[in-house]
Amino acid sequence: VQLVESGGGLVQAGGSLRLTCKTSGFSFGDYILGWVRQAPGKEREGVSCFSNGRGSSYYADSVKGRFTMSSDINERTVHLQMKNLEPEDTAVYYCAAVRARYLTDRYCVQLEYSSWGQGTQVTVSS
């Protein structure tokens, strides 16, 4: 399983960014994919997760209404569209995956993913 993130950068508060996770090495429909972030000095936080096989998704309360996760099965990519960004969104964002079909707190919140990308930095200035 390989996960490669891109799309991070520096943006002003209120701005938007779109993160992309390019995947390979596994059956796309059999996995749950998630976005996890880690801010300096803080623990990792599950931002969103998505089950391709079930078409269901989860979002942390802190990003609901601002972030949208989507996937392109043909391109084997997962995107995280982030709007109305806040300085509190500043973090390294990781793409993560685990072979499972049903979203549960075990994956989306407790972050029991089996594979991780290298991360991409998102910095939101005030």
Side-chain angles (χ1 to χ4, degrees):
V1 176
Q2 288 192 322
L3 308 169
V4 180
E5 304 95 332
S6 62
L10 173 64
V11 64
Q12 288 188 334
S16 300
L17 279 175
R18 187 186 192 218
L19 304 184
T20 296
C21 175
K22 181 68 175 176
T23 75
S24 62
F26 62 96
S27 179
F28 203 64
D30 292 339
Y31 275 64
I32 288 173
L33 292 155
W35 287 98
V36 178
R37 67 185 181 186
Q38 187 166 25
K42 295 187 177 181
E43 294 186 352
R44 286 185 174 183
E45 175 192 19
V47 173
S48 66
C49 62
F50 180 84
S51 168
N52 281 296
R54 305 297 296 180
S56 52
S57 59
Y58 157 89
Y59 295 94
D61 288 343
S62 57
V63 305
K64 277 182 183 176
R66 300 189 299 122
F67 290 12
T68 303
M69 187 173 178
S70 62
S71 67
D72 184 328
I73 293 177
N74 291 331
E75 295 294 325
R76 295 184 57 89
T77 55
V78 178
H79 303 286
L80 184 68
Q81 179 67 52
M82 307 185 293
K83 298 180 180 180
N84 297 323
L85 284 161
E86 303 167 354
E88 293 74 21
D89 296 317
T90 294
V92 177
Y93 283 71
Y94 298 90
C95 181
V98 63
R99 184 172 182 174
R101 284 202 162 222
Y102 298 96
L103 299 185
T104 68
D105 282 357
R106 176 182 177 186
Y107 308 120
C108 302
V109 178
Q110 297 166 17
L111 310 182
E112 293 187 13
Y113 294 105
S114 55
S115 301
W116 296 79
Q118 83 288 350
T120 185
Q121 176 71 47
V122 171
T123 303
V124 184
S125 63
S126 57

